[in-house]
Amino acid sequence: MLKLATLTVPVIAVIIGEGSSGGALALGIGNRVLMLENAIYSILSPEGYASILWKDPSRTKEAAEKMKLTAKDLYELKIIDKIIKEPKGDEEESFLKIAKSLKKEIEKITHELRSMTPEEINQERYQKFRNMGEYKLI
C-alpha cells in the first residue's frame, strides 16, 4: 500500500468479484476505482463482521446490509468512482460485453489522467483517499 501511495503514475483498480481484507485497502488507493455492479468490496467479510460485532455468524445477512458493500452503496459513499453494468444472458456474451465496457472506461480514464503531471496524479490519489468516508460526531 505504501508503494501504491507513492507512485507518480495513475492507478486504476477494478473490482470484479469479491474485494476484501487487506487487498480491499490497497484497491482503495487507486486514482479511479471501478466495480462490476454485482461485485462486493469491503475490508471484512459479512461473516467476520457478524462474528466480531455480535459474536453470531448467523447474522451474516444483517451484517452485509449494514456494511454497505455493494457497488451502489459504495458509489453513493464515493468510495468507488464508476459502476460497470453486468448484462444478463449468455455467460460468454456477458463477459465480452463487460470486457468491452471496462476497456472503454479504462481508455477514458487514461485519457483524462494523461494531462496531469506525476505530482498532480499522486496528490489527487492522496486527496481522494483522505476524503473517503463520512464521519459523524455523536
Side-chain angles (χ1 to χ4, degrees), residues 15-64:
I15 300 152
I16 61 171
E18 181 178 342
S20 61
S21 194
L25 289 173
L27 293 173
I29 295 175
N31 289 82
R32 302 291 186 280
V33 179
L34 312 177
M35 185 171 171
L36 297 186
E37 72 178 317
N38 294 311
I40 61 170
Y41 177 44
S42 174
I43 60 162
L44 183 65
S45 70
E47 296 83 5
Y49 182 99
S51 293
I52 292 167
L53 190 63
W54 301 305
K55 310 279 189 263
D56 183 358
S58 69
R59 294 175 70 179
T60 299
K61 184 176 181 184
E62 182 183 356

mmCIF file of all heavy atoms in Angstrom, residues 15-64:
data_model
loop_
_atom_site.group_PDB
_atom_site.id
_atom_site.type_symbol
_atom_site.label_atom_id
_atom_site.label_comp_id
_atom_site.label_asym_id
_atom_site.label_seq_id
_atom_site.Cartn_x
_atom_site.Cartn_y
_atom_site.Cartn_z
ATOM 1 N N ILE A 15 -12.703 -3.866 -9.384
ATOM 2 C CA ILE A 15 -13.214 -4.926 -8.523
ATOM 3 C C ILE A 15 -14.198 -5.736 -9.356
ATOM 4 O O ILE A 15 -15.216 -5.213 -9.802
ATOM 5 C CB ILE A 15 -13.890 -4.342 -7.270
ATOM 6 C CG1 ILE A 15 -12.863 -3.515 -6.502
ATOM 7 C CG2 ILE A 15 -14.470 -5.450 -6.398
ATOM 8 C CD1 ILE A 15 -13.437 -2.405 -5.697
ATOM 9 N N ILE A 16 -13.861 -7.003 -9.573
ATOM 10 C CA ILE A 16 -14.671 -7.829 -10.478
ATOM 11 C C ILE A 16 -15.453 -8.924 -9.770
ATOM 12 O O ILE A 16 -16.295 -9.556 -10.365
ATOM 13 C CB ILE A 16 -13.801 -8.462 -11.586
ATOM 14 C CG1 ILE A 16 -12.738 -9.362 -10.981
ATOM 15 C CG2 ILE A 16 -13.183 -7.374 -12.461
ATOM 16 C CD1 ILE A 16 -11.982 -10.195 -11.998
ATOM 17 N N GLY A 17 -15.180 -9.156 -8.505
ATOM 18 C CA GLY A 17 -15.874 -10.216 -7.777
ATOM 19 C C GLY A 17 -16.024 -9.824 -6.334
ATOM 20 O O GLY A 17 -16.895 -9.056 -5.969
ATOM 21 N N GLU A 18 -15.117 -10.325 -5.506
ATOM 22 C CA GLU A 18 -15.144 -10.006 -4.083
ATOM 23 C C GLU A 18 -13.804 -9.411 -3.694
ATOM 24 O O GLU A 18 -12.796 -10.106 -3.653
ATOM 25 C CB GLU A 18 -15.417 -11.259 -3.251
ATOM 26 C CG GLU A 18 -15.489 -10.980 -1.773
ATOM 27 C CD GLU A 18 -15.796 -12.213 -0.943
ATOM 28 O OE1 GLU A 18 -16.289 -13.206 -1.492
ATOM 29 O OE2 GLU A 18 -15.537 -12.159 0.276
ATOM 30 N N GLY A 19 -13.792 -8.113 -3.448
ATOM 31 C CA GLY A 19 -12.590 -7.443 -2.977
ATOM 32 C C GLY A 19 -12.708 -7.308 -1.473
ATOM 33 O O GLY A 19 -13.582 -6.609 -0.981
ATOM 34 N N SER A 20 -11.858 -8.048 -0.755
ATOM 35 C CA SER A 20 -11.972 -7.968 0.701
ATOM 36 C C SER A 20 -10.611 -8.103 1.362
ATOM 37 O O SER A 20 -9.612 -8.351 0.709
ATOM 38 C CB SER A 20 -12.917 -9.062 1.226
ATOM 39 O OG SER A 20 -12.434 -10.342 0.911
ATOM 40 N N SER A 21 -10.611 -7.892 2.656
ATOM 41 C CA SER A 21 -9.427 -7.995 3.502
ATOM 42 C C SER A 21 -8.428 -6.896 3.165
ATOM 43 O O SER A 21 -8.809 -5.817 2.725
ATOM 44 C CB SER A 21 -8.813 -9.392 3.366
ATOM 45 O OG SER A 21 -7.875 -9.610 4.384
ATOM 46 N N GLY A 22 -7.141 -7.170 3.377
ATOM 47 C CA GLY A 22 -6.111 -6.165 3.128
ATOM 48 C C GLY A 22 -6.058 -5.743 1.678
ATOM 49 O O GLY A 22 -5.707 -4.608 1.364
ATOM 50 N N GLY A 23 -6.415 -6.634 0.774
ATOM 51 C CA GLY A 23 -6.442 -6.295 -0.646
ATOM 52 C C GLY A 23 -7.425 -5.183 -0.940
ATOM 53 O O GLY A 23 -7.200 -4.347 -1.808
ATOM 54 N N ALA A 24 -8.512 -5.149 -0.196
ATOM 55 C CA ALA A 24 -9.508 -4.091 -0.382
ATOM 56 C C ALA A 24 -8.914 -2.737 -0.024
ATOM 57 O O ALA A 24 -9.187 -1.737 -0.691
ATOM 58 C CB ALA A 24 -10.757 -4.361 0.452
ATOM 59 N N LEU A 25 -8.118 -2.704 1.008
ATOM 60 C CA LEU A 25 -7.469 -1.441 1.385
ATOM 61 C C LEU A 25 -6.569 -0.960 0.254
ATOM 62 O O LEU A 25 -6.578 0.213 -0.099
ATOM 63 C CB LEU A 25 -6.654 -1.623 2.659
ATOM 64 C CG LEU A 25 -7.448 -1.820 3.940
ATOM 65 C CD1 LEU A 25 -6.505 -2.156 5.095
ATOM 66 C CD2 LEU A 25 -8.270 -0.597 4.262
ATOM 67 N N ALA A 26 -5.798 -1.862 -0.309
ATOM 68 C CA ALA A 26 -4.894 -1.486 -1.394
ATOM 69 C C ALA A 26 -5.668 -0.993 -2.614
ATOM 70 O O ALA A 26 -5.274 -0.012 -3.251
ATOM 71 C CB ALA A 26 -3.997 -2.663 -1.765
ATOM 72 N N LEU A 27 -6.775 -1.650 -2.951
ATOM 73 C CA LEU A 27 -7.566 -1.232 -4.111
ATOM 74 C C LEU A 27 -8.102 0.183 -3.940
ATOM 75 O O LEU A 27 -8.237 0.924 -4.906
ATOM 76 C CB LEU A 27 -8.739 -2.191 -4.342
ATOM 77 C CG LEU A 27 -8.376 -3.603 -4.778
ATOM 78 C CD1 LEU A 27 -9.621 -4.478 -4.793
ATOM 79 C CD2 LEU A 27 -7.694 -3.606 -6.127
ATOM 80 N N GLY A 28 -8.380 0.574 -2.728
ATOM 81 C CA GLY A 28 -8.924 1.899 -2.456
ATOM 82 C C GLY A 28 -7.952 3.029 -2.743
ATOM 83 O O GLY A 28 -8.344 4.188 -2.808
ATOM 84 N N ILE A 29 -6.689 2.707 -2.922
ATOM 85 C CA ILE A 29 -5.684 3.738 -3.167
ATOM 86 C C ILE A 29 -5.669 4.194 -4.627
ATOM 87 O O ILE A 29 -5.033 5.171 -4.976
ATOM 88 C CB ILE A 29 -4.288 3.240 -2.715
ATOM 89 C CG1 ILE A 29 -4.308 3.047 -1.203
ATOM 90 C CG2 ILE A 29 -3.177 4.200 -3.099
ATOM 91 C CD1 ILE A 29 -3.054 2.460 -0.625
ATOM 92 N N GLY A 30 -6.419 3.544 -5.478
ATOM 93 C CA GLY A 30 -6.415 3.895 -6.896
ATOM 94 C C GLY A 30 -6.890 5.318 -7.164
ATOM 95 O O GLY A 30 -7.724 5.855 -6.437
ATOM 96 N N ASN A 31 -6.339 5.921 -8.233
ATOM 97 C CA ASN A 31 -6.859 7.215 -8.679
ATOM 98 C C ASN A 31 -8.324 7.059 -9.065
ATOM 99 O O ASN A 31 -9.132 7.958 -8.848
ATOM 100 C CB ASN A 31 -6.078 7.728 -9.888
ATOM 101 C CG ASN A 31 -4.686 8.163 -9.536
ATOM 102 O OD1 ASN A 31 -3.787 7.331 -9.430
ATOM 103 N ND2 ASN A 31 -4.500 9.458 -9.322
ATOM 104 N N ARG A 32 -8.635 5.926 -9.658
ATOM 105 C CA ARG A 32 -10.012 5.600 -10.010
ATOM 106 C C ARG A 32 -10.258 4.149 -9.612
ATOM 107 O O ARG A 32 -9.418 3.284 -9.838
ATOM 108 C CB ARG A 32 -10.277 5.743 -11.507
ATOM 109 C CG ARG A 32 -10.018 7.117 -12.093
ATOM 110 C CD ARG A 32 -11.023 8.160 -11.620
ATOM 111 N NE ARG A 32 -10.836 9.415 -12.309
ATOM 112 C CZ ARG A 32 -9.914 10.320 -12.021
ATOM 113 N NH1 ARG A 32 -9.059 10.120 -11.042
ATOM 114 N NH2 ARG A 32 -9.817 11.450 -12.713
ATOM 115 N N VAL A 33 -11.429 3.914 -9.033
ATOM 116 C CA VAL A 33 -11.818 2.567 -8.648
ATOM 117 C C VAL A 33 -13.126 2.243 -9.359
ATOM 118 O O VAL A 33 -14.134 2.933 -9.169
ATOM 119 C CB VAL A 33 -11.982 2.429 -7.114
ATOM 120 C CG1 VAL A 33 -12.411 1.011 -6.747
ATOM 121 C CG2 VAL A 33 -10.690 2.805 -6.402
ATOM 122 N N LEU A 34 -13.081 1.213 -10.181
ATOM 123 C CA LEU A 34 -14.245 0.752 -10.923
ATOM 124 C C LEU A 34 -14.729 -0.542 -10.274
ATOM 125 O O LEU A 34 -13.939 -1.290 -9.699
ATOM 126 C CB LEU A 34 -13.873 0.471 -12.382
ATOM 127 C CG LEU A 34 -13.066 1.540 -13.116
ATOM 128 C CD1 LEU A 34 -12.708 1.078 -14.518
ATOM 129 C CD2 LEU A 34 -13.834 2.839 -13.156
ATOM 130 N N MET A 35 -16.024 -0.806 -10.398
ATOM 131 C CA MET A 35 -16.568 -2.006 -9.756
ATOM 132 C C MET A 35 -17.709 -2.567 -10.584
ATOM 133 O O MET A 35 -18.604 -1.826 -10.991
ATOM 134 C CB MET A 35 -17.045 -1.636 -8.350
ATOM 135 C CG MET A 35 -17.517 -2.779 -7.518
ATOM 136 S SD MET A 35 -17.778 -2.174 -5.813
ATOM 137 C CE MET A 35 -18.578 -3.596 -5.100
ATOM 138 N N LEU A 36 -17.671 -3.877 -10.831
ATOM 139 C CA LEU A 36 -18.791 -4.517 -11.500
ATOM 140 C C LEU A 36 -20.005 -4.434 -10.591
ATOM 141 O O LEU A 36 -19.890 -4.527 -9.365
ATOM 142 C CB LEU A 36 -18.477 -5.976 -11.825
ATOM 143 C CG LEU A 36 -17.321 -6.239 -12.784
ATOM 144 C CD1 LEU A 36 -17.241 -7.726 -13.122
ATOM 145 C CD2 LEU A 36 -17.418 -5.415 -14.046
ATOM 146 N N GLU A 37 -21.172 -4.280 -11.179
ATOM 147 C CA GLU A 37 -22.366 -3.991 -10.386
ATOM 148 C C GLU A 37 -22.751 -5.093 -9.412
ATOM 149 O O GLU A 37 -23.404 -4.817 -8.405
ATOM 150 C CB GLU A 37 -23.555 -3.632 -11.282
ATOM 151 C CG GLU A 37 -24.151 -4.779 -12.043
ATOM 152 C CD GLU A 37 -25.362 -4.357 -12.863
ATOM 153 O OE1 GLU A 37 -26.209 -3.589 -12.361
ATOM 154 O OE2 GLU A 37 -25.455 -4.803 -14.009
ATOM 155 N N ASN A 38 -22.345 -6.319 -9.640
ATOM 156 C CA ASN A 38 -22.684 -7.413 -8.731
ATOM 157 C C ASN A 38 -21.517 -7.848 -7.854
ATOM 158 O O ASN A 38 -21.606 -8.860 -7.153
ATOM 159 C CB ASN A 38 -23.221 -8.606 -9.525
ATOM 160 C CG ASN A 38 -24.538 -8.275 -10.195
ATOM 161 O OD1 ASN A 38 -25.453 -7.754 -9.571
ATOM 162 N ND2 ASN A 38 -24.624 -8.523 -11.483
ATOM 163 N N ALA A 39 -20.450 -7.095 -7.863
ATOM 164 C CA ALA A 39 -19.297 -7.398 -7.019
ATOM 165 C C ALA A 39 -19.545 -6.844 -5.618
ATOM 166 O O ALA A 39 -20.471 -6.056 -5.403
ATOM 167 C CB ALA A 39 -18.039 -6.778 -7.622
ATOM 168 N N ILE A 40 -18.699 -7.275 -4.676
ATOM 169 C CA ILE A 40 -18.750 -6.703 -3.336
ATOM 170 C C ILE A 40 -17.346 -6.272 -2.950
ATOM 171 O O ILE A 40 -16.350 -6.813 -3.428
ATOM 172 C CB ILE A 40 -19.351 -7.658 -2.279
ATOM 173 C CG1 ILE A 40 -18.528 -8.930 -2.146
ATOM 174 C CG2 ILE A 40 -20.802 -7.971 -2.587
ATOM 175 C CD1 ILE A 40 -18.938 -9.785 -0.966
ATOM 176 N N TYR A 41 -17.260 -5.280 -2.074
ATOM 177 C CA TYR A 41 -15.979 -4.679 -1.722
ATOM 178 C C TYR A 41 -16.019 -4.218 -0.274
ATOM 179 O O TYR A 41 -16.832 -3.379 0.096
ATOM 180 C CB TYR A 41 -15.736 -3.507 -2.680
ATOM 181 C CG TYR A 41 -14.505 -2.683 -2.473
ATOM 182 C CD1 TYR A 41 -13.271 -3.255 -2.211
ATOM 183 C CD2 TYR A 41 -14.572 -1.307 -2.574
ATOM 184 C CE1 TYR A 41 -12.132 -2.471 -2.051
ATOM 185 C CE2 TYR A 41 -13.444 -0.514 -2.427
ATOM 186 C CZ TYR A 41 -12.229 -1.113 -2.164
ATOM 187 O OH TYR A 41 -11.113 -0.339 -2.010
ATOM 188 N N SER A 42 -15.161 -4.799 0.542
ATOM 189 C CA SER A 42 -15.127 -4.474 1.961
ATOM 190 C C SER A 42 -13.827 -4.988 2.565
ATOM 191 O O SER A 42 -13.229 -5.929 2.050
ATOM 192 C CB SER A 42 -16.313 -5.135 2.665
ATOM 193 O OG SER A 42 -16.230 -4.948 4.054
ATOM 194 N N ILE A 43 -13.399 -4.411 3.657
ATOM 195 C CA ILE A 43 -12.176 -4.892 4.291
ATOM 196 C C ILE A 43 -12.419 -6.122 5.168
ATOM 197 O O ILE A 43 -11.481 -6.719 5.675
ATOM 198 C CB ILE A 43 -11.479 -3.793 5.119
ATOM 199 C CG1 ILE A 43 -12.393 -3.287 6.229
ATOM 200 C CG2 ILE A 43 -11.020 -2.665 4.224
ATOM 201 C CD1 ILE A 43 -11.668 -2.555 7.314
ATOM 202 N N LEU A 44 -13.670 -6.497 5.335
ATOM 203 C CA LEU A 44 -14.026 -7.632 6.180
ATOM 204 C C LEU A 44 -15.223 -8.338 5.567
ATOM 205 O O LEU A 44 -16.112 -7.686 5.019
ATOM 206 C CB LEU A 44 -14.376 -7.111 7.589
ATOM 207 C CG LEU A 44 -14.713 -8.098 8.682
ATOM 208 C CD1 LEU A 44 -13.499 -8.968 9.012
ATOM 209 C CD2 LEU A 44 -15.143 -7.351 9.941
ATOM 210 N N SER A 45 -15.264 -9.652 5.671
ATOM 211 C CA SER A 45 -16.415 -10.389 5.152
ATOM 212 C C SER A 45 -17.617 -10.174 6.077
ATOM 213 O O SER A 45 -17.454 -9.903 7.274
ATOM 214 C CB SER A 45 -16.097 -11.889 5.082
ATOM 215 O OG SER A 45 -16.022 -12.425 6.390
ATOM 216 N N PRO A 46 -18.839 -10.308 5.552
ATOM 217 C CA PRO A 46 -20.014 -10.193 6.412
ATOM 218 C C PRO A 46 -20.002 -11.226 7.550
ATOM 219 O O PRO A 46 -20.435 -10.932 8.664
ATOM 220 C CB PRO A 46 -21.189 -10.428 5.459
ATOM 221 C CG PRO A 46 -20.658 -10.011 4.129
ATOM 222 C CD PRO A 46 -19.206 -10.404 4.139
ATOM 223 N N GLU A 47 -19.475 -12.420 7.266
ATOM 224 C CA GLU A 47 -19.385 -13.450 8.307
ATOM 225 C C GLU A 47 -18.465 -12.986 9.435
ATOM 226 O O GLU A 47 -18.783 -13.136 10.620
ATOM 227 C CB GLU A 47 -18.857 -14.770 7.718
ATOM 228 C CG GLU A 47 -19.760 -15.405 6.689
ATOM 229 C CD GLU A 47 -19.605 -14.845 5.275
ATOM 230 O OE1 GLU A 47 -18.718 -14.000 5.033
ATOM 231 O OE2 GLU A 47 -20.393 -15.251 4.411
ATOM 232 N N GLY A 48 -17.319 -12.417 9.053
ATOM 233 C CA GLY A 48 -16.378 -11.905 10.047
ATOM 234 C C GLY A 48 -16.969 -10.752 10.842
ATOM 235 O O GLY A 48 -16.805 -10.673 12.065
ATOM 236 N N TYR A 49 -17.664 -9.858 10.158
ATOM 237 C CA TYR A 49 -18.303 -8.710 10.806
ATOM 238 C C TYR A 49 -19.299 -9.186 11.866
ATOM 239 O O TYR A 49 -19.289 -8.728 13.002
ATOM 240 C CB TYR A 49 -18.989 -7.873 9.732
ATOM 241 C CG TYR A 49 -19.666 -6.602 10.193
ATOM 242 C CD1 TYR A 49 -19.039 -5.375 10.052
ATOM 243 C CD2 TYR A 49 -20.940 -6.621 10.734
ATOM 244 C CE1 TYR A 49 -19.666 -4.192 10.431
ATOM 245 C CE2 TYR A 49 -21.576 -5.449 11.121
ATOM 246 C CZ TYR A 49 -20.932 -4.244 10.967
ATOM 247 O OH TYR A 49 -21.563 -3.088 11.347
ATOM 248 N N ALA A 50 -20.177 -10.126 11.465
ATOM 249 C CA ALA A 50 -21.197 -10.631 12.386
ATOM 250 C C ALA A 50 -20.550 -11.342 13.574
ATOM 251 O O ALA A 50 -21.002 -11.197 14.710
ATOM 252 C CB ALA A 50 -22.145 -11.580 11.655
ATOM 253 N N SER A 51 -19.507 -12.084 13.308
ATOM 254 C CA SER A 51 -18.822 -12.804 14.383
ATOM 255 C C SER A 51 -18.152 -11.854 15.367
ATOM 256 O O SER A 51 -18.202 -12.062 16.576
ATOM 257 C CB SER A 51 -17.777 -13.753 13.806
ATOM 258 O OG SER A 51 -18.401 -14.787 13.096
ATOM 259 N N ILE A 52 -17.529 -10.813 14.852
ATOM 260 C CA ILE A 52 -16.823 -9.860 15.710
ATOM 261 C C ILE A 52 -17.806 -8.951 16.453
ATOM 262 O O ILE A 52 -17.716 -8.787 17.666
ATOM 263 C CB ILE A 52 -15.828 -9.013 14.890
ATOM 264 C CG1 ILE A 52 -14.682 -9.890 14.387
ATOM 265 C CG2 ILE A 52 -15.292 -7.842 15.717
ATOM 266 C CD1 ILE A 52 -13.813 -9.234 13.331
ATOM 267 N N LEU A 53 -18.743 -8.379 15.714
ATOM 268 C CA LEU A 53 -19.642 -7.394 16.316
ATOM 269 C C LEU A 53 -20.672 -8.020 17.254
ATOM 270 O O LEU A 53 -20.912 -7.523 18.355
ATOM 271 C CB LEU A 53 -20.348 -6.586 15.222
ATOM 272 C CG LEU A 53 -21.136 -5.380 15.691
ATOM 273 C CD1 LEU A 53 -20.220 -4.346 16.341
ATOM 274 C CD2 LEU A 53 -21.882 -4.750 14.532
ATOM 275 N N TRP A 54 -21.300 -9.115 16.794
ATOM 276 C CA TRP A 54 -22.392 -9.697 17.553
ATOM 277 C C TRP A 54 -22.070 -11.079 18.128
ATOM 278 O O TRP A 54 -22.916 -11.689 18.770
ATOM 279 C CB TRP A 54 -23.644 -9.794 16.683
ATOM 280 C CG TRP A 54 -24.112 -8.482 16.153
ATOM 281 C CD1 TRP A 54 -24.413 -7.367 16.888
ATOM 282 C CD2 TRP A 54 -24.351 -8.137 14.796
ATOM 283 N NE1 TRP A 54 -24.812 -6.353 16.054
ATOM 284 C CE2 TRP A 54 -24.789 -6.793 14.755
ATOM 285 C CE3 TRP A 54 -24.239 -8.815 13.596
ATOM 286 C CZ2 TRP A 54 -25.115 -6.140 13.585
ATOM 287 C CZ3 TRP A 54 -24.557 -8.166 12.419
ATOM 288 C CH2 TRP A 54 -24.991 -6.846 12.428
ATOM 289 N N LYS A 55 -20.878 -11.577 17.826
ATOM 290 C CA LYS A 55 -20.500 -12.939 18.250
ATOM 291 C C LYS A 55 -21.512 -13.961 17.743
ATOM 292 O O LYS A 55 -21.802 -14.967 18.384
ATOM 293 C CB LYS A 55 -20.392 -13.056 19.782
ATOM 294 C CG LYS A 55 -19.557 -12.000 20.454
ATOM 295 C CD LYS A 55 -18.090 -12.322 20.356
ATOM 296 C CE LYS A 55 -17.255 -11.392 21.200
ATOM 297 N NZ LYS A 55 -16.682 -10.286 20.507
ATOM 298 N N ASP A 56 -22.064 -13.684 16.546
ATOM 299 C CA ASP A 56 -23.122 -14.527 15.992
ATOM 300 C C ASP A 56 -23.006 -14.561 14.463
ATOM 301 O O ASP A 56 -23.578 -13.712 13.772
ATOM 302 C CB ASP A 56 -24.487 -13.967 16.409
ATOM 303 C CG ASP A 56 -25.654 -14.822 15.943
ATOM 304 O OD1 ASP A 56 -25.438 -15.845 15.256
ATOM 305 O OD2 ASP A 56 -26.800 -14.453 16.270
ATOM 306 N N PRO A 57 -22.290 -15.548 13.925
ATOM 307 C CA PRO A 57 -22.108 -15.606 12.468
ATOM 308 C C PRO A 57 -23.400 -15.857 11.689
ATOM 309 O O PRO A 57 -23.439 -15.680 10.482
ATOM 310 C CB PRO A 57 -21.110 -16.748 12.276
ATOM 311 C CG PRO A 57 -21.149 -17.543 13.533
ATOM 312 C CD PRO A 57 -21.589 -16.610 14.623
ATOM 313 N N SER A 58 -24.484 -16.217 12.367
ATOM 314 C CA SER A 58 -25.752 -16.432 11.662
ATOM 315 C C SER A 58 -26.384 -15.105 11.221
ATOM 316 O O SER A 58 -27.322 -15.089 10.436
ATOM 317 C CB SER A 58 -26.739 -17.212 12.540
ATOM 318 O OG SER A 58 -27.185 -16.420 13.632
ATOM 319 N N ARG A 59 -25.855 -13.992 11.694
ATOM 320 C CA ARG A 59 -26.399 -12.669 11.334
ATOM 321 C C ARG A 59 -25.679 -12.075 10.121
ATOM 322 O O ARG A 59 -25.630 -10.864 9.938
ATOM 323 C CB ARG A 59 -26.300 -11.728 12.537
ATOM 324 C CG ARG A 59 -27.198 -12.191 13.689
ATOM 325 C CD ARG A 59 -27.044 -11.368 14.928
ATOM 326 N NE ARG A 59 -27.608 -10.018 14.749
ATOM 327 C CZ ARG A 59 -27.612 -9.102 15.709
ATOM 328 N NH1 ARG A 59 -27.098 -9.357 16.905
ATOM 329 N NH2 ARG A 59 -28.119 -7.905 15.482
ATOM 330 N N THR A 60 -25.161 -12.933 9.271
ATOM 331 C CA THR A 60 -24.386 -12.516 8.102
ATOM 332 C C THR A 60 -25.170 -11.589 7.181
ATOM 333 O O THR A 60 -24.645 -10.582 6.717
ATOM 334 C CB THR A 60 -23.891 -13.751 7.326
ATOM 335 O OG1 THR A 60 -23.062 -14.517 8.195
ATOM 336 C CG2 THR A 60 -23.128 -13.367 6.083
ATOM 337 N N LYS A 61 -26.428 -11.908 6.909
ATOM 338 C CA LYS A 61 -27.239 -11.072 6.009
ATOM 339 C C LYS A 61 -27.400 -9.668 6.580
ATOM 340 O O LYS A 61 -27.240 -8.671 5.875
ATOM 341 C CB LYS A 61 -28.597 -11.713 5.749
ATOM 342 C CG LYS A 61 -29.424 -10.947 4.749
ATOM 343 C CD LYS A 61 -30.724 -11.636 4.421
ATOM 344 C CE LYS A 61 -31.463 -10.790 3.403
ATOM 345 N NZ LYS A 61 -32.762 -11.298 3.072
ATOM 346 N N GLU A 62 -27.695 -9.574 7.860
ATOM 347 C CA GLU A 62 -27.826 -8.273 8.525
ATOM 348 C C GLU A 62 -26.506 -7.507 8.465
ATOM 349 O O GLU A 62 -26.475 -6.300 8.202
ATOM 350 C CB GLU A 62 -28.243 -8.485 9.980
ATOM 351 C CG GLU A 62 -28.454 -7.219 10.761
ATOM 352 C CD GLU A 62 -28.797 -7.477 12.224
ATOM 353 O OE1 GLU A 62 -28.949 -8.644 12.633
ATOM 354 O OE2 GLU A 62 -28.904 -6.474 12.962
ATOM 355 N N ALA A 63 -25.419 -8.216 8.688
ATOM 356 C CA ALA A 63 -24.092 -7.589 8.629
ATOM 357 C C ALA A 63 -23.818 -7.035 7.237
ATOM 358 O O ALA A 63 -23.357 -5.898 7.093
ATOM 359 C CB ALA A 63 -23.012 -8.600 9.024
ATOM 360 N N ALA A 64 -24.124 -7.817 6.211
ATOM 361 C CA ALA A 64 -23.885 -7.375 4.830
ATOM 362 C C ALA A 64 -24.648 -6.094 4.529
ATOM 363 O O ALA A 64 -24.127 -5.182 3.871
ATOM 364 C CB ALA A 64 -24.268 -8.480 3.852
#
